[in-house]
Amino acid sequence: MTNKLTFDSSTTSVGDLPTPEPDSPYRPRRQYRFSTLCATVENPGLKDQYGSSSVPIYQTATFKGVGGEYDYTRSGNPTRSHLEHHVAKISSAVHGFAVSSGMAALDTILRLLKPGDAIIAGDDLYGGTNRLLAYLRTHAGITVYHVDTTKPDTLIPLLKTENNITMVLLESPTNPLLKIVDIATIAKEVKERVPAALVVVDNTMMSPFLQRPLEHGADIVYDSATKYLSGHHDLMAGVITCNRDDVAKQIAFLINATGNGLTPFDSFLLLRGTKTLALRLNQQSSTSILVARYLHSLGFPTFYPGLPDHPNKEIHERISNGYGAVLSFSTGSKDVSERVVAATRLWSVSVSFGCVNSLISMPCAMSHASIPAATRAARGLPEDLIRLCVGIEDSADLLDDLERALIDAGAVRRTAAGLVRVQTSIGEAVQKLAEKEAAQDEIPPHEKQWVVSAPGKVILFGEHAVVYGIPALAASLSLRCYAISSPRTDNTLGVHFLDIDGGQPDGFKHEWNLSELPWDAVPSQSSQVEGEVALNHQLLDVISSQVLADISDTHARQASLAFLYLYMVLGAHSGQRPALTLAARATLPVGAGLGSSASFSVCTSTSLLLVFGRIRVPSQSPPASPDPPLASSSSSSPSPKLSDTLAQCANRYAFLLEKILHGTPSGVDNSVAVFGGGLQYTKGRSGGLEAIDGFKALRFLLTDTRVPRNTRSLVAGVAERLAKDPNGVDQVLEQIRDVVVRARHTLGEEGDGTTVLAGLIAENHAHLIDLGVSHPSLEDVRDVTGRYGLATKLTGAGGGGCAVTLVPDDFSESSLSSVIAALQEKGYIPYLTEVGGPGLGILIAQSTSALPITPPEPATPDTESDGWLGGQTVALFVQKSKPELGSWIGGLGDWAYV
């Protein structure tokens, strides 16, 4: 049931909310302040028959009679009606609703969407919000765009009718980095560009006491009332407020239909809690600014809107009445942060916030653990971040407890001049790593740590036409996948796939007892058909049903299946069962059509072939460059080359893993990942893979539009066009064939052919537009790069995904920087990459001279159970950011490449 007040929300603010009539026309009352409104629970349309001073609990499921205002508590209850009226009053709202939790409130709002709709959301969201949006994206056909909402300009490229934006979800300040979003400006842009879209704001961090987004243009506002509105963490509740009658009608229907309305008893408790909202939050905010200033003075990066240097502070002050009671800071070390959290007494370790008691937590390990580690890193969320939720305790006691915890954890120390922050330096763990590196050559293959890498791929010419037997040209990228296999001594097999969201802080992790694997199901020998390793589907079914039944994530399950299958086959045939952990991650975008799956398959197969001694690398090598050599200089590069026999073996087994992952792969992706350079692929033809002799490394700007694509749907769309207009589509396909032929000739000939290639790129893209596979985001990228005279086309299936831009050698660095900045301003992610470089790489000699100057975190039992240097290398492998990863791992020692 909705409760409608009798004032006009378009002209009313909290200061204008209705108050009781004056006792005398000669003594008019002034408007009540917010704390008075909180404490005064009055609903003129719903009077208690006995005049109770506290709203009664109508603890009943049904009401007698026919045609009365209430009949069933799921549809409405007097206690809940009082609460909803009160929440609307203090929120500058016409309509108020109370449901069973904050997430239930968001779920109700998101049910206003339908399949095919799109929603724009921030990139620093509460973990539960991120989880629900991810579910809708994969299960309900809702497109979700995550952008930096602190910069309104990042939304503008998406606010177009063709993008079908129906909702914009904002949160300010964000949780847990306290980023400020200009709600008023964004609401104005949305209303001007896509008037039908709803602007929704999660106001939990502020509550109506400090911020009322409906006054700034929002359509719907929701709070997790479990937090500040209740204030005592003794109930679960959520509230929704709005001013539009049509939206309120839909929300009321959904709450009644789903039955998630708040219970009478919880409504009573929440109504009681709201009466002290202003008193509690005023005290909490006052203490929060003291805590933030204290941490900031010690040199800790501190995130709180009340600090002078907090980004967008002036925007927050324009739309809010205070700074709130949540802040966060980082120590520079995850281990130190864990010790700080463990050392506090008054600050209770707990998720959530808004309680009268102060709370402390590490979001990446708690409230935001469901967000993949790679995603957290991309969004700038530090793993060592500590979130403080300030309560109503005495500020002196809270500061004293926090200071003691910082000292006990080693984050600060006392000096004659007072407390100073402790800065970390190179530790004994790195020295230990260097000492043990020297003994590696004496270790048998299955006891060594192996480090391998493989490139991604890009389709340069011939997309979609390749489906109909026309050749396509593909080339390797300098963006790569990396894998480290580390030996263990505990009879355990483990994987750590950092780019897969397994619901764990650092990606997907899993372990298996080697003795419990179904070894009896492994066939006695693996057959080969025309050079391919045959796939035993019976073994796949056994592994899937008996070993992987507890893994629900599809990507994690398939990657684990591929790894376990090859490990068991190689192990059974060699008579060895070495304990190891394989860790894998990539610098190339995953799932963007750039061959991330194939590069993973190559890294996995190569690692296991090395462990079992099926392939061997040169025992000695001349010094090598830490970075992969370019194709154009491969003949003179000092890096040793891996043998063709090794490459063929790795490719056969990588193709086997690709079949496990994708069913019927073409083989082009894994071949590019192994052999590098450029390849021509023709579907359905024997020997359909041909190396492009003389292929030169080219510089490309690869732009991830961050727009999801549906390859199957796009391919089906071209097929539908072909069925309707066979002559017209056949003509386009033949034109693409002509482009491919000319492009291959240009790529293999001597001299600078960038001018010719630029023309072919434009021509190929025009034909793809004719096939209907482009996307507004791809055309937007072409417009940006075209202003600088650069040629751009879509790559892969199109419909979003990535665009490739040819960058001539004589293109100025300043102009290139301007192009990259312009793309980033629009919310795209550009990568400057080399196309046509080397393929598979193996670290053949580790060097202690390349050790990083930043110390690794202390090893944990699962990363150093092997008793030697492996754990520390893996720890650094996990910690490095994506921009750092390639150069760091390339500098570990001497590499050999295909």
Side-chain angles (χ1 to χ4, degrees), residues 175-230:
N175 178 16
L177 291 177
L178 285 298
K179 295 180 180 179
I180 305 303
V181 175
D182 193 340
I183 296 171
T185 296
I186 292 177
K188 180 176 179 292
E189 292 288 348
V190 172
K191 296 309 176 187
E192 289 179 354
R193 298 171 185 274
V194 280
L198 295 172
V199 177
V200 180
V201 178
D202 179 352
N203 197 45
T204 304
M205 291 278 280
M206 289 282 98
S207 86
F209 174 53
L210 297 178
Q211 184 172 271
R212 292 168 293 280
L214 291 176
E215 297 175 358
H216 302 289
D219 296 299
I220 304 174
V221 177
Y222 72 98
D223 289 58
S224 172
T226 308
K227 315 305 195 289
Y228 290 114
L229 286 170
S230 165

Side-chain angles (χ1 to χ4, degrees), residues 296 302 304-313:
H296 189 263
T302 307
Y304 185 67
L307 294 175
D309 57 351
H310 191 79
N312 290 338
K313 181 176 186 287

Side-chain angles (χ1 to χ4, degrees), residues 745-796:
H745 174 75
T746 303
L747 289 168
E749 68 180 2
E750 294 291 331
D752 182 10
T754 53
T755 302
V756 176
L757 288 175
L760 293 173
I761 285 173
E763 189 175 343
N764 194 170
H765 186 83
H767 298 322
L768 293 171
I769 291 178
D770 293 338
L771 294 179
V773 296
S774 189
H775 186 273
S777 63
L778 295 168
E779 298 305 318
D780 191 29
V781 173
R782 293 187 74 242
D783 289 341
V784 171
T785 58
R787 292 198 293 269
Y788 292 85
L790 299 178
T792 299
K793 65 179 288 292
L794 66 83
T795 184

Side-chain angles (χ1 to χ4, degrees), residues 359-415:
L359 306 175
I360 188 171
S361 66
M362 292 185 65
C364 290
M366 300 172 70
S367 59
H368 291 62
S370 61
I371 301 176
T375 302
R376 293 198 302 265
R379 296 177 183 175
L381 186 58
E383 295 294 312
D384 64 312
L385 190 73
I386 295 175
R387 188 181 71 181
L388 299 176
C389 307
V390 180
I392 64 171
E393 302 94 340
D394 190 281
S395 59
D397 293 330
L398 289 173
L399 286 168
D400 179 71
D401 188 60
L402 181 60
E403 181 175 286
R404 290 175 182 272
L406 291 170
I407 294 172
D408 292 345
V412 298
R413 60 185 176 87
R414 295 189 183 278
T415 68

